[in-house]
Amino acid sequence: MADVIKVGVLGARGKVGAEVCRAVEAAADTELVAAVDAGDPIEALVEAGAEAVVDFTHPDVVMGNLEFCVAQGIHAVVGTTGFDDDRLATLRGWLDSSPGTGVLIAPNFSIGAILMMRFAAAAAPFYESVEVVELHHPDKADAPSGTARRTAELIAAARRAAGSPPVPDATSTSLDGARGADVDGIRVHGLRIRGLVAHQEVILGGVGETLTIRHDSLDRASFTPGVLTGLRGIAAHPGLTVGLEHFLDLD
Amino acid sequence: MADVIKVGVLGARGKVGAEVCRAVEAAADTELVAAVDAGDPIEALVEAGAEAVVDFTHPDVVMGNLEFCVAQGIHAVVGTTGFDDDRLATLRGWLDSSPGTGVLIAPNFSIGAILMMRFAAAAAPFYESVEVVELHHPDKADAPSGTARRTAELIAAARRAAGSPPVPDATSTSLDGARGADVDGIRVHGLRIRGLVAHQEVILGGVGETLTIRHDSLDRASFTPGVLTGLRGIAAHPGLTVGLEHFLDLD
Amino acid sequence: MADVIKVGVLGARGKVGAEVCRAVEAAADTELVAAVDAGDPIEALVEAGAEAVVDFTHPDVVMGNLEFCVAQGIHAVVGTTGFDDDRLATLRGWLDSSPGTGVLIAPNFSIGAILMMRFAAAAAPFYESVEVVELHHPDKADAPSGTARRTAELIAAARRAAGSPPVPDATSTSLDGARGADVDGIRVHGLRIRGLVAHQEVILGGVGETLTIRHDSLDRASFTPGVLTGLRGIAAHPGLTVGLEHFLDLD
Amino acid sequence: MADVIKVGVLGARGKVGAEVCRAVEAAADTELVAAVDAGDPIEALVEAGAEAVVDFTHPDVVMGNLEFCVAQGIHAVVGTTGFDDDRLATLRGWLDSSPGTGVLIAPNFSIGAILMMRFAAAAAPFYESVEVVELHHPDKADAPSGTARRTAELIAAARRAAGSPPVPDATSTSLDGARGADVDGIRVHGLRIRGLVAHQEVILGGVGETLTIRHDSLDRASFTPGVLTGLRGIAAHPGLTVGLEHFLDLD
């Protein structure tokens, strides 16, 4: 790709898509060449010379979008949900016929959330204890959050791999719910507080010390740096990638 | 009382009593004149000229200790547990016969814990949401902690008195325990982490802002400033006082 | 005033004024009857039957606005800056001629910031150490923030009144600036971090324990609950009031 | 080495050495076979069959201790300070003549502090802003702490390597010291609060989000897990190693 990446946005008039358009326009190394939404012809991407697209649309239309883009050799950075093993297999088939084209499917574009999960899993085998606390606004329907569950699963897996013993807990008398939810042996607590957006803390502890890793998302625009990171890395990652963490050079 | 208060310690060889002895000796305005434990004659207090005692002994012996002290006009600052309404009534009777003598019964000598509860209850009516998180070492048997339960009760009472509506919570799908324990309508979460001592956080939130009040007890000696505050105030509070908060000039 | 307060907003098309309009419209007990900005006739307030106004305008025009409102018996809740002793004296003169009318001048409408300052000052005499940390976005021009300076001044005054000794500090070797700014003997630290809005923490510490009071403002709308509190209380506070804290029933 | 490592402690009657002795005795896979201090013959290590020693002594005697141990093929885990390039070169010379023997020189045995520095440096290139806050008891002589300076240097180096621009800061009016100390372009703030032990926080921020990594050392015993980690890894790391981070499997 050239120094400035020509970007098309699919779902451009949605709330998230509009934020993506603004971020692509604002960055020095990306250029918004096509803003496409329901009803617009997807061929506009080709006419505009888009090298990569960002897709925040809907599970019903995303596969059609990707089939078109991959066939045209346009890279795709995808935040749309609903990818199961069947869909991923189909995608891999299309990509096999279009070598050099990359598709990134990312359930989470928050770089902070990705680093938090990564660091928590890396640190977990060094500590006796670890718990997860997530804090969100009170209009959220599920508890704990998907990110908190995923974090606990990653921590549990890292501890299993390292042969860590179960976390200690001498609780013998307890009010129902006081010790949180149990996710693979890791305790997870969900708080719902007006004024908050999306926050999570992982607390690890050993003899005489604790290590705390906290992520605060204060604004919905916090996912846009992750989308730009995806756009900047996609040409160098042909084929299918699941998870933005593979684009972050952490080792 | 003179400028330097002559203090006797009952239970002086226990873990807590020994800390009290050290603190009384270290402070410029208190003097340790008698260190009494099981087997020692309590009359030593009188011979030593003790003006006030600190009692961290046992529910089985504390009433005998206090009967003796009140009869002798010696003030008492008491951390021993086990005071029910009957015991308090008995104490009041003894104190009626010894005007000018003061007894302070305090379930909690941590000034920080008292301030946290006080501030949380004062702030609670101004916010839509409030939750309590307590964090302790993993050898603790009960969850949530007594202080956390008491804090939630005080918050709930302050909101009832102010006519505050219930805290908002749209949770419809939840893992068991994820939203913590319910104490009078206030959610309380208990974490157990090696390396921690005793910590508590009250998080209050309204439109666009949160207020957090956090108390960290990092060392068991943290109760000694409260004991000294009790000794300094006891002569000015004749009769029975329950709760160190009445000695803190907060209004 | 009736059950629903009829409110006029001055400076209604400014960023802050527009938020005030939204909040007044959203609340069940306030009604927006006039939205006035530069160029609009202020008499619209009278025609609309406004019982109270909110003024977020400019130092150049606020005195004219208030002279009109007070003469008409319209209460005023004022967030505009620039009030010195001369202006306050002039205001008091106008209010003397209009008994029953109230004017609230508030440099800060954040209830959380007010509670933080109040609690910090109340707790400060009970602790050996206290420091203030404020955290803001990196586009802020002044350091420390006005709220942090004011907090430190209030803490210092409370300690002087209580006869507290200076805070301990054995620092003998230091990089320039490492220990923060000195405001009346209290250390204040200013952080500038992208992603943050406006945050402040007061940390107090004594033997073995710390008490932390933290205020997080995550959204500029966080001042609107304070404006509504001002509107609800203004009829009961005739004359001049400086500071929203006088409308909060904290004792 | 066998399943249980036979350990000698040099400086065994010092404050730190005594903690090491306790930790070595308590762990299931280490056995304390010799406790040596000034005046004791170092040959006791050989008689006791020590496979590894821990040295927390003094710069004046540590080189003599290590010359003896390396000559005898006894591994060494060293917390004593004062190692400059000359001393390290001398050590390497001795180790060349004793292949299979390992010496670990570690300025910091706190696993939490090591992970904090590592994670902070790994995350720093992904964020616009980053600052360091360290908090200690008020008897500390230097500000900022050595760990905070080191953390800032590592962050600055990581950002230079990644081509990150300077952190943004629009401060134009400031009280002296308000923005902290400047360490290689990274702001560092030092707080001194009674009741605290040793704590540090690294705050990173980008558009709409922050990531915070915090280490709390609540008890001086917090270095002992790091010493045990050193003992467990030393046989597998012959030659000279500087820094416990090389024994932590983080990648």
Side-chain angles (χ1 to χ4, degrees):
Chain A
M1 284 197 264
D3 285 357
V4 172
I5 311 166
K6 295 186 177 180
V7 178
V9 174
L10 299 169
R13 290 193 295 273
K15 223 168 171 178
V16 173
E19 285 280 6
V20 172
C21 289
R22 264 191 292 279
V24 168
E25 283 179 320
D29 58 351
T30 55
E31 183 189 348
L32 182 68
V33 298
V36 174
D37 210 309
D40 302 332
I42 195 168
E43 291 75 16
L45 293 170
V46 181
E47 290 156 32
E51 297 162 287
V53 299
V54 179
D55 187 303
F56 281 92
T57 57
H58 190 273
D60 291 350
V61 299
V62 67
M63 289 302 281
N65 291 345
L66 292 177
E67 187 171 18
F68 176 86
C69 289
V70 172
Q72 299 288 338
I74 302 174
H75 308 292
V77 171
V78 183
T80 307
T81 56
F83 285 86
D84 53 17
D85 287 349
D86 280 356
R87 290 193 155 196
L88 296 176
T90 304
L91 256 174
R92 276 196 195 89
W94 294 338
L95 285 160
D96 284 347
S97 315
S98 179
T101 305
V103 172
L104 168 67
I105 306 288
N108 195 334
F109 277 101
S110 162
I111 291 174
I114 292 168
L115 293 177
M116 174 181 58
M117 285 187 271
R118 175 93 180 212
F119 294 160
F126 296 107
Y127 287 97
E128 262 186 85
S129 300
V130 52
E131 303 202 8
V132 178
V133 183
E134 53 91 346
L135 312 94
H136 286 82
H137 57 84
D139 301 327
K140 187 172 177 60
D142 53 319
S145 69
T147 299
R149 287 177 78 142
R150 183 87 190 113
T151 306
E153 288 163 2
L154 291 169
I155 288 169
R159 290 175 68 96
R160 268 195 309 272
S164 310
V167 294
D169 183 359
T171 309
S172 54
T173 325
S174 162
L175 284 187
D176 200 36
R179 290 285 292 113
D182 183 321
V183 176
D184 289 4
I186 304 300
R187 294 285 165 172
V188 181
H189 311 264
L191 279 70
R192 297 295 171 263
I193 309 265
R194 180 73 67 211
L196 292 180
V197 183
H199 314 255
Q200 184 175 311
E201 202 165 79
V202 179
I203 307 174
L204 305 114
V207 177
E209 69 168 12
T210 60
L211 181 71
T212 304
I213 302 164
R214 180 176 174 117
H215 178 239
D216 290 274
S217 180
L218 295 94
D219 188 297
R220 285 170 211 284
S222 64
F223 72 94
T224 57
V227 170
L228 294 175
T229 299
L231 285 169
R232 286 166 191 143
I234 190 67
H237 291 81
L240 180 64
T241 305
V242 179
L244 181 62
E245 57 273 28
H246 302 287
F247 281 34
L248 306 180
D249 183 24
L250 282 168
D251 295 320
Chain B
M1 286 199 261
D3 283 358
V4 173
I5 311 168
K6 294 186 174 176
V7 178
V9 174
L10 299 170
R13 290 193 294 272
K15 223 168 171 178
V16 174
E19 286 279 6
V20 172
C21 289
R22 264 191 293 279
V24 168
E25 282 178 321
D29 57 350
T30 55
E31 184 190 347
L32 183 68
V33 297
V36 175
D37 211 308
D40 302 331
I42 195 169
E43 290 74 18
L45 295 171
V46 181
E47 289 156 33
E51 296 162 287
V53 299
V54 178
D55 186 302
F56 279 92
T57 58
H58 191 272
D60 291 349
V61 300
V62 65
M63 288 302 281
N65 291 346
L66 292 177
E67 187 171 17
F68 176 85
C69 289
V70 172
Q72 299 288 338
I74 301 174
H75 308 293
V77 170
V78 183
T80 308
T81 56
F83 285 86
D84 54 16
D85 288 348
D86 281 356
R87 289 192 157 198
L88 295 177
T90 303
L91 255 175
R92 277 196 194 92
W94 294 337
L95 285 161
D96 284 347
S97 315
S98 179
T101 305
V103 171
L104 168 68
I105 307 289
N108 195 332
F109 277 101
S110 161
I111 291 174
I114 292 169
L115 292 177
M116 174 182 57
M117 285 188 267
R118 174 95 179 209
F119 293 160
F126 296 106
Y127 286 95
E128 263 186 85
S129 301
V130 52
E131 302 202 8
V132 178
V133 182
E134 53 90 348
L135 312 93
H136 286 82
H137 56 86
D139 302 326
K140 188 172 175 60
D142 54 319
S145 69
T147 299
R149 287 177 79 141
R150 183 87 190 112
T151 305
E153 289 164 1
L154 291 169
I155 287 168
R159 289 175 70 95
R160 269 195 308 273
S164 310
V167 294
D169 183 359
T171 309
S172 54
T173 325
S174 162
L175 283 188
D176 201 35
R179 290 284 293 113
D182 183 320
V183 176
D184 289 6
I186 304 299
R187 294 285 165 172
V188 180
H189 311 263
L191 278 71
R192 297 293 172 263
I193 308 265
R194 180 72 67 210
L196 291 180
V197 184
H199 314 255
Q200 185 175 310
E201 202 164 79
V202 180
I203 307 174
L204 305 113
V207 177
E209 68 168 13
T210 60
L211 181 71
T212 304
I213 301 164
R214 180 176 174 117
H215 178 238
D216 290 274
S217 181
L218 294 94
D219 187 298
R220 285 170 211 283
S222 65
F223 71 94
T224 56
V227 170
L228 294 174
T229 299
L231 285 169
R232 284 164 192 146
I234 191 67
H237 291 82
L240 180 65
T241 305
V242 179
L244 181 63
E245 57 272 30
H246 302 289
F247 281 34
L248 306 180
D249 184 23
L250 282 169
D251 295 318
Chain C
M1 283 198 264
D3 283 358
V4 173
I5 311 168
K6 294 185 175 180
V7 178
V9 174
L10 299 169
R13 290 193 293 273
K15 224 171 171 174
V16 174
E19 285 280 7
V20 172
C21 289
R22 264 191 292 278
V24 167
E25 282 178 322
D29 58 350
T30 54
E31 183 190 348
L32 182 68
V33 297
V36 175
D37 211 310
D40 301 332
I42 194 168
E43 290 74 18
L45 295 171
V46 180
E47 290 157 31
E51 297 162 286
V53 299
V54 179
D55 186 304
F56 280 92
T57 57
H58 191 272
D60 290 350
V61 300
V62 66
M63 288 302 280
N65 291 346
L66 292 178
E67 187 170 17
F68 176 85
C69 289
V70 171
Q72 299 288 337
I74 300 173
H75 308 292
V77 171
V78 183
T80 308
T81 55
F83 285 86
D84 54 16
D85 287 349
D86 281 357
R87 289 192 156 198
L88 295 177
T90 303
L91 256 175
R92 276 196 195 91
W94 294 338
L95 285 160
D96 284 347
S97 315
S98 180
T101 304
V103 172
L104 168 67
I105 307 289
N108 196 332
F109 278 101
S110 161
I111 291 174
I114 292 169
L115 292 178
M116 174 182 58
M117 285 188 267
R118 175 92 178 215
F119 294 160
F126 296 106
Y127 287 96
E128 263 186 84
S129 300
V130 51
E131 302 202 8
V132 178
V133 182
E134 53 91 347
L135 312 95
H136 286 81
H137 57 85
D139 302 326
K140 187 172 177 59
D142 54 319
S145 69
T147 299
R149 288 178 78 143
R150 183 84 189 116
T151 305
E153 290 164 1
L154 291 169
I155 287 168
R159 289 175 69 95
R160 269 195 309 273
S164 309
V167 293
D169 183 359
T171 309
S172 54
T173 325
S174 162
L175 283 187
D176 201 35
R179 290 285 291 113
D182 183 320
V183 176
D184 289 5
I186 304 299
R187 293 285 165 172
V188 181
H189 311 263
L191 278 71
R192 297 294 170 262
I193 308 265
R194 180 72 68 209
L196 291 180
V197 184
H199 314 255
Q200 185 174 310
E201 202 164 80
V202 179
I203 307 174
L204 306 114
V207 177
E209 69 168 11
T210 60
L211 181 71
T212 304
I213 301 164
R214 179 174 175 119
H215 178 238
D216 291 274
S217 181
L218 294 95
D219 187 297
R220 284 170 213 284
S222 65
F223 71 94
T224 56
V227 170
L228 293 175
T229 299
L231 285 169
R232 285 166 191 145
I234 191 68
H237 290 81
L240 180 65
T241 304
V242 179
L244 181 63
E245 57 273 28
H246 302 289
F247 281 34
L248 306 181
D249 184 24
L250 282 169
D251 296 320
Chain D
M1 283 198 266
D3 284 357
V4 172
I5 310 166
K6 295 185 176 181
V7 179
V9 174
L10 299 169
R13 289 193 295 273
K15 224 169 171 176
V16 173
E19 285 279 7
V20 172
C21 289
R22 263 190 294 278
V24 168
E25 283 179 321
D29 57 351
T30 55
E31 182 190 349
L32 182 68
V33 297
V36 174
D37 210 310
D40 301 332
I42 195 167
E43 291 74 16
L45 295 171
V46 181
E47 290 157 33
E51 295 162 288
V53 299
V54 179
D55 186 303
F56 280 93
T57 58
H58 191 273
D60 290 350
V61 300
V62 66
M63 289 301 281
N65 291 345
L66 292 177
E67 187 171 17
F68 176 85
C69 290
V70 172
Q72 300 288 337
I74 301 174
H75 308 292
V77 171
V78 183
T80 308
T81 55
F83 284 86
D84 54 16
D85 287 348
D86 281 356
R87 289 193 157 198
L88 296 177
T90 304
L91 256 174
R92 277 196 194 89
W94 295 338
L95 284 160
D96 284 348
S97 316
S98 179
T101 305
V103 171
L104 167 68
I105 307 288
N108 196 333
F109 277 101
S110 162
I111 291 173
I114 292 168
L115 293 176
M116 174 180 58
M117 285 187 269
R118 175 95 178 209
F119 295 159
F126 296 106
Y127 287 97
E128 263 186 84
S129 300
V130 52
E131 304 202 7
V132 178
V133 183
E134 52 90 346
L135 312 94
H136 285 83
H137 58 84
D139 302 326
K140 188 173 176 58
D142 55 320
S145 69
T147 300
R149 287 178 79 141
R150 183 86 189 114
T151 305
E153 289 163 2
L154 291 169
I155 288 169
R159 290 175 69 95
R160 268 194 310 273
S164 309
V167 294
D169 183 359
T171 309
S172 54
T173 325
S174 162
L175 283 188
D176 200 36
R179 289 285 291 113
D182 182 320
V183 175
D184 289 5
I186 304 300
R187 294 285 166 171
V188 181
H189 311 264
L191 278 71
R192 297 295 171 262
I193 308 266
R194 179 72 68 210
L196 291 179
V197 183
H199 314 256
Q200 185 174 312
E201 202 164 80
V202 179
I203 307 174
L204 306 114
V207 177
E209 70 168 12
T210 61
L211 181 71
T212 303
I213 301 164
R214 179 175 176 119
H215 178 238
D216 291 274
S217 181
L218 295 95
D219 188 298
R220 284 170 212 285
S222 64
F223 72 94
T224 57
V227 170
L228 294 174
T229 299
L231 285 169
R232 286 166 192 145
I234 191 66
H237 291 80
L240 180 64
T241 305
V242 178
L244 181 63
E245 58 272 28
H246 302 287
F247 282 33
L248 306 180
D249 184 24
L250 282 168
D251 294 321

